[in-house]
Every structure is written in structure tokens, then in C-alpha cells.
Amino acid sequence: MLYILALLIGVVAGLRAMTAPAAVAWGAYLGWLPVAGTWASFMSHWAAVGIFTVLAIVELVTDQLPSTPSRKVPQQFGVRILLGAFSGAVLGAAGGATIVCLIAGAIGAVIGTLGGAEARGRLAAAFGKDTPAAFTEDTVAIVGGLLIVAAVA
């Protein structure tokens, strides 16, 4: 079950790169993810929560801009894979399966990035503009990330 949740948090990272680590940081901070005594214990500190939350909000705002680059650009794609792997590894640290969850998170990020780009394009075409599609994607990523972290608890 933990591997599936790591894959799903990777999908969230593919949709919204910073939402996944923000959700994981909140889960650790609230005690839902038992990361104390692991390499990921820093995620339960208020500073990690604050930094990842601010970065997630900045990403949500900047993604609404017309000049936002494609998520398939190699740099953005790579960052999403790294953040998916990192978020999956934190979930894995809570359950003692860091490496497998790291891999599952990276695979999930690839799925979320490629599938999210396709879905967003179709939503934007259906709505006639990108803003409602971006809002839909934001909502799915935020709610999904929090539900995944809560499921680990």
C-alpha cells in the first residue's frame, strides 16, 4: 500500500511540483508521517513546512501566467521527477521503505507530468482558455496530496 501511495504522491508532483513536498511536510509536521529519527526528520520542522508551502503557492500563482513554460521542458520535467522521488522517499522513510518509494515517486512524477500535460491541454480546449483548466489541476493536486499523506497516517 505504501508503494502505491508513493506512486500517487509522485503523480501529484507531476501535476504540481511543489505541492507534493508541501503535503509531505505538512503530514510530517502534523505527526501523520512518523519521520522522527529518520533522514527525513527535517520535514517535520516548521521551517520546512513554511518553505515548501510558500514555494507551492508561488507555483500555483505563476502557473496561471501566459508565459509559463511547458512542463515537458527538460529542466521542468527533471525537477518534477526529483520532487516526486523526494516526496516518495519521505513517505517511504515513514514506513521503512525509502528506496522503493523513491523509485515509485519518480515513476509517478513521469506519469503525472506526461498525463497532466495531456489532460490540461484537453481541459483548456474544452473550456476555451487555460485558467479553468489550471484551477482544476490545482484542486486535484492539492486535495490528492493531502489525502495521500492522510492515508499513510
Side-chain angles (χ1 to χ4, degrees):
M1 179 66 163
L2 188 61
Y3 310 130
I4 293 170
L5 295 174
L7 180 82
L8 292 174
I9 202 70
V11 170
V12 169
L15 294 173
R16 285 283 167 261
M18 297 310 302
T19 299
V24 170
W26 273 102
Y29 180 74
L30 295 172
W32 297 349
L33 296 176
V35 294
T38 70
W39 67 268
S41 61
F42 72 95
M43 289 296 280
S44 63
H45 194 273
W46 63 268
V49 172
I51 290 167
F52 284 119
T53 300
V54 167
L55 290 173
I57 292 168
V58 167
E59 181 186 23
L60 290 174
V61 171
T62 59
D63 192 48
Q64 311 302 320
L65 303 175
S67 62
T68 303
S70 168
R71 68 184 71 209
K72 293 181 184 178
V73 173
Q75 297 88 346
Q76 288 220 3
F77 196 30
V79 167
R80 290 172 188 277
I81 292 170
L82 287 173
L83 289 171
F86 171 73
S87 300
V90 173
L91 287 180
T98 302
I99 300 299
V100 175
C101 289
L102 179 142
I103 294 166
I107 292 169
V110 171
I111 293 167
T113 300
L114 299 178
E118 179 68 26
R120 184 166 175 171
R122 289 178 187 220
L123 282 172
F127 286 124
K129 55 184 177 177
D130 195 45
T131 303
F135 179 74
T136 303
E137 187 179 48
D138 295 343
T139 304
V140 167
I142 292 167
V143 171
L146 293 174
L147 288 174
I148 291 163
V149 171
V152 174

